Structure formats: structure tokens, C-alpha cells
Amino acid sequence: MVSSVFADRPHKKLLLFDVDETLSHARQPASPEMIQVLRELRKKSVIGFVGGSDLVKISEQLSVHGSNALEDFDYAFAENGLTAYKLGGALQSQSFIKYLGEDNYKKLVNFILHYLADMDVPVKRGTFVEFRNGMVNISPIGRNATKEERNEFEAYDKIHGLRAAFVKVLQEKFADYDLTFSIGGQISFDVFPRGWDKTYALRHVEDEGFEEIHFFGDKTYKGGNDYEIFADPRTIGHTVAGPLDTIRVLKELYLDP
Ligand code: M1P
């Protein structure tokens, strides 16, 4: 039975959304139309987001047009659910550093910094390693890159496969750490313990009694950072081709069926 806090929703379904290229374009604010569609949807079902980014970045994308990422979603899952909120209240979580231990973490980061220093990319900016609660994010050009620099690096990496090659080296070198390396965005990849992909977020909702849990994402193919939660038997997965497509699918399935 679904918690009474959701008694006002006629559908006892949970709809979970990836953020980048599902609710908004990568690292861009969601459109006014998307915010409106989500508001309408929330009158009928319980809604939440599951992003790979940290909460600060996701808020920049979803706390727009009078909306608030923590108040206007029933569930807010940043860093794959390692930072989690239900109705604006924080849920318990774990930390990457506690899992790995300071010494192992230091060995990993030292190796990454050496590798990055030797890596030749067209431009280098700042913040090459971003430490987060549930993961570490690695970027060969740095997270301070502008939107144009991001697009250029993404195109360059499609040809040269720099991130994929780096990931392969790390997988071999740190095989005993049991980590997952996930290329989910344009300029970086995420590193986190195996199992701390987006299915981690399901731990917070699987016993809440929802009749169905739907997941919407764009990188639902094997190797994409939406794949595990999309393919998980606890969810009904939907693949979308960008925010406009998400709006189309939501209208078709739930708003004007
Ligand atoms: O949400 C997908 C990814 O978005 C960002 O990736 P990038 O900066 O490379 O476009 C990052 O926040 C990353 O952690 C996240 O998985």
C-alpha cells in the first residue's frame, strides 16, 4: 500500500526521470513547457528525478521557472541516489570515501592526476577531479569548460575515444577496487562502487508500495548510465530522445491518452 502522504494522487505509480537529455538538455535549464508538464503529471502520479550529477548542478537545471527541484519532485535523487530526498526531507545515504578508505582513494586520485597531466587534449581548463558524496567525477578538459568547449570536446572524444581509453586503463589498474566507470555526459566520466549506478535510487522506493515504477532516460543502451535502472526488473523502462520527446511521451501516456 502506497504511503498516505501520496493519498492525493489517483495513480499509485512512481515516475522517475533521468535529468540530462531527458528533462533538460545537458547542463541546461529545463524548458517552461517541461516544468508545466511535470506539474500536471504530479497531480496524478508520484514523480522523481534520478541524476548522475550532484544536487547543486541538478538544481541549476530544475529549479527554474518558479519550480524547485526539492519541493516540486516527490523524490529527488542526485549522484544516482547517493544524495536522496523524499518530499524535501533528506534520506540516509552512504559515502564513496567511507566505502573505499582514504588510502585507496589517494592511490586512485594520484594515478588519475598523473594520467591527466600526460593526456593531450585541445584545451585544458580547471577542476579535473570533482569529489562528490557518492562518486568522483573525472574530466580531461576540466569541469570549468564553457558550453562551446564542452561541445567541442564531446565531438573530439567521439573520434579519439580518450575517455574510453582512460576508463580501460583504470579498470585494469584498479580491478580489485570493484568500481564502475560510467561515461554519462559530454566531458567527463563518473567513478563509483559497483552497484551504485542509478539502481541505487530504487533502494529508497522499492518498499513504498507503488503498483508500478516507471523510468524515463536517454542513455538506456548497454554501457549508457541509464542502462541498469532501465533494464532492472523493478522498473518499466522508457527510452526518450531528448526533452521534447519526453514531453511527447508523457502527454501520450498520461496527460492526453
Ligand atoms: O548526468 C550525466 C552526467 O552529467 C555530467 O556530465 P558532463 O559534465 O560530462 O556532461 C556530470 O555531472 C556527470 O557526473 C553525470 O553523470
Side-chain angles (χ1 to χ4, degrees):
M1 174 114 162
V2 178
S3 160
S4 58
V5 292
F6 300 124
D8 57 331
R9 316 301 162 82
H11 300 162
K12 304 306 169 200
K13 290 176 187 170
L14 170 62
L15 311 182
L16 289 175
F17 300 92
D18 161 51
V19 181
D20 280 349
E21 297 305 328
T22 296
L23 293 181
S24 78
H25 287 299
R27 301 288 302 110
Q28 298 300 304
S31 68
E33 192 188 2
M34 177 62 82
I35 296 295
Q36 191 50 38
V37 164
L38 291 169
R39 277 194 191 123
E40 290 305 313
L41 208 57
R42 199 178 179 210
K43 292 180 189 160
K44 303 186 175 194
S45 298
V46 181
I47 66 168
F49 64 78
V50 193
S53 285
D54 57 32
L55 190 58
V56 173
K57 294 188 191 71
I58 293 179
S59 297
E60 285 166 8
Q61 294 171 242
L62 301 181
S63 294
V64 292
H65 316 300
S67 187
N68 179 301
L70 288 188
E71 288 165 12
D72 294 308
F73 286 84
D74 300 297
Y75 290 98
F77 297 126
E79 298 186 43
N80 295 347
L82 267 300
T83 298
Y85 288 81
K86 176 183 177 183
L87 295 169
L91 301 173
Q92 256 217 315
S93 204
Q94 294 193 54
S95 101
F96 182 60
I97 206 83
K98 270 196 207 137
Y99 170 88
L100 216 56
E102 289 290 354
D103 277 353
N104 281 344
Y105 177 67
K106 213 160 59 183
K107 279 182 204 143
L108 175 71
V109 169
N110 285 346
F111 182 87
I112 287 170
L113 290 172
H114 278 291
Y115 191 99
L116 284 171
D118 291 337
M119 192 187 245
D120 190 26
V121 288
V123 298
K124 284 197 185 182
R125 296 297 178 249
T127 313
F128 301 96
V129 175
E130 185 175 81
F131 178 68
R132 302 176 182 168
N133 179 45
M135 65 172 72
V136 58
N137 177 268
I138 315 296
S139 174
I141 62 162
R143 301 212 55 79
N144 299 140
T146 62
K147 199 176 155 201
E148 288 69 37
E149 288 161 351
R150 285 181 150 266
N151 293 341
E152 282 161 18
F153 177 81
E154 189 181 24
Y156 184 85
D157 198 35
K158 273 199 183 122
I159 300 165
H160 298 279
L162 293 177
R163 286 181 292 176
F166 193 177
V167 161
K168 196 161 177 286
V169 170
L170 290 171
Q171 275 167 337
E172 281 161 17
K173 173 95 188 151
F174 294 94
D176 56 324
Y177 279 27
D178 208 13
L179 297 171
T180 294
F181 300 87
S182 168
I183 303 176
Q186 292 181 287
I187 56 159
S188 65
F189 59 90
D190 297 326
V191 184
F192 46 81
R194 192 160 58 86
W196 290 20
D197 51 61
K198 289 186 183 181
T199 58
Y200 191 96
L202 297 176
R203 300 181 193 194
H204 299 293
V205 297
E206 65 187 346
D207 296 327
E208 296 277 84
F210 293 110
E211 285 167 9
E212 290 172 0
I213 301 175
H214 291 252
F215 173 78
F216 299 79
D218 66 310
K219 295 190 182 64
T220 55
Y221 46 84
K222 209 166 184 346
N225 69 343
D226 293 326
Y227 174 74
E228 290 85 359
I229 189 167
F230 170 83
D232 193 285
R234 291 168 289 182
T235 66
I236 297 168
H238 304 263
T239 303
V240 293
L244 279 178
D245 194 41
T246 307
I247 291 175
R248 180 191 65 76
V249 172
L250 291 176
K251 284 186 173 170
E252 207 173 284
L253 289 181
Y254 306 110
L255 298 175
D256 344 291

